Amino acid sequence: MSESPSWACVCLPELALQVLVRAYPQLRQGPCAVIDEDRPQGRVLCVNQAARELRLLPGMTYAAGLSLAPDLRARVVPQQQLQQVVDGVCEVLHTLSPRVEPSQQEPGVFWLDVQGLQRVFPSLGVWIQSLHRQLRALELWPRVVVGWSRFGTYALARGGHAVGQILESQEHERQAYEDICLSRLGLTPSVRDALGKLGVRDVGALLSLPADGLRRRFGPEVLQLWRLGTGDWRPSLRAMAPQVPLCQQEILDNPVEHRSQVLFVIKRGLYGLLVRLASRHQALSSLGCKLQIEGGSLIEFEISPAQPTLDEHQVLELVRLKLESLSLKGAIEEVFIRVEPASAQREQLQLFKHRGKRDLSAAKEAIARLRAELGDDAVCRAHLTSGNLPEAQFTWVPTKQVSLPEPIPVDRRTLVRRISSRPLRLPPQSRHTRDEGLLVTGVEQGAVVRSWGPYIISGGWWVREVCREYQFTQVQSGRLLWLYYDRGRRRWYQQGRIC
């Protein structure tokens, strides 16, 4: 058994309400609520203390709330805005604990691992003070409970009134959370009301019930709460990895002057950032860019699409328009970009997921530009021909179109011979070296370890006779080479390599 508490729960009570009041400070006075839809039949999600005193509870309709409190003021808080706040809180908490788990069901609830923090902070009380100070700087008001179990810290952080609490023992923790009202633990209104009709209004009364009928009468939600409270189920902390800042920096060896070159550098880093955003189920809400000019001056700008997006072309078009409005008074030697994330819609993620890395239309445009600038023969492809020697069995022909490869499925992958455009002449061999010690490729690759062959190709007697002895050679470095010995020149050549 651990000698010190190992769990901490940080709860931002009624997070949606805190976000709403932070945006509209005038709502601090009087009854206030967050609703899911701005219409009379919209459901109340959370209410402040003034509204609770007027008997307003989550789950009521907006119209029912207005009948109890005619001066009730309510707003809708977008899920995207909540997620941004949760992400910001996670960044703060990761500076105070190496392991942080945000609740997936209740935004604003976080579990932390506090084991060993006494070696970093003078005491857990000082740690709680530091946590409060950093979150209040974000205009958020947390409750923090340090204790011995996942459920105990959660129940007291959700339903208690202390802004900071350290539980001395497991028995103390259990006695404290048994008096917590069930309406404070995020139960759905229908389940909360059904338990209330039976007189089950606090955690202690719930835990005294037998488990057999809980699932049948109240569903898995109540059974899970019972198992957590009794200790029948003790899930471990599922820590979330800290988010790495989404930024990219590139120092240019050759500074660029033209706006099109700067745009290309930004494009190079943007795609990787969008991939990372999509893996987090997020989209780009804004892009900040810093351009370092030779001589020390710095240009900074920021662009924001109409809505969070993963569309690379849309973002680059905004960057292009911004660059055209700037005055670049020198060559750019360093580019730094940073993206601000936001929650992505499912459709955006699906579009990004199925988007291929090979864009045929973009490839055709690139080929057309190269042919226009460098000539029709600038872009070529290999074409197989009839020939005796390997280098004569293909030729290069101009191409205007490209197509995606169509690989043939095979049961076993085969080795591929990569042929050089011209055979590489190898160093001459000493007459005093035995065959098994040949250094055909020089000292760097080592001596021949094993070889297969020879496979003799001869011909060309009508022009100039050629006789080559091909073999596949493995050298000490581990590489597999495609070599031949030219009888006429009495010299070794490397035709290619095997990979």
Side-chain angles (χ1 to χ4, degrees), residues 53 66 81 183 270 302 315 323 374 376 400 437 482 487:
E53 292 174 356
L66 286 172
Q81 190 175 358
S183 63
L270 178 62
E302 182 174 327
V315 177
L323 286 174
L374 303 177
D376 292 341
K400 298 180 181 180
W482 188 21
R487 284 291 182 186

Side-chain angles (χ1 to χ4, degrees), residues 132-168:
H132 271 277
R133 185 167 55 254
Q134 295 193 44
L135 291 184
R136 285 178 180 174
L138 301 177
E139 298 185 51
L140 297 172
W141 304 92
R143 294 196 196 111
V144 185
V145 176
V146 176
W148 305 80
S149 68
R150 182 189 191 94
F151 176 78
T153 54
Y154 164 75
L156 290 167
R158 280 279 293 170
H161 299 285
V163 295
Q165 186 177 7
I166 301 176
L167 302 167
E168 299 176 355

Side-chain angles (χ1 to χ4, degrees), residues 444-471:
E444 295 80 5
Q445 300 290 343
V448 172
V449 176
R450 189 178 179 187
S451 62
W452 295 263
Y455 306 98
I456 299 176
I457 296 179
S458 62
W461 52 267
W462 55 93
V463 179
R464 182 168 60 89
E465 186 173 3
V466 175
C467 183
R468 296 180 180 178
E469 298 178 2
Y470 278 90
Q471 65 181 32

Side-chain angles (χ1 to χ4, degrees), residues 166-219:
I166 301 176
L167 302 167
E168 299 176 355
S169 64
Q170 295 186 29
E171 185 62 28
H172 178 211
E173 180 183 86
R174 184 177 181 87
Q175 292 174 358
Y177 70 66
E178 283 184 346
D179 296 330
I180 296 297
C181 183
L182 290 177
S183 63
R184 297 277 186 172
L185 298 188
L187 291 174
T188 57
S190 58
V191 172
R192 178 198 65 205
D193 296 341
L195 289 170
K197 292 176 181 179
L198 298 177
V200 180
R201 294 183 174 86
D202 57 39
V203 174
L206 175 66
L207 300 184
S208 64
L209 297 177
D212 297 338
L214 288 179
R215 175 186 287 274
R216 185 175 65 256
R217 297 189 64 179
F218 303 107

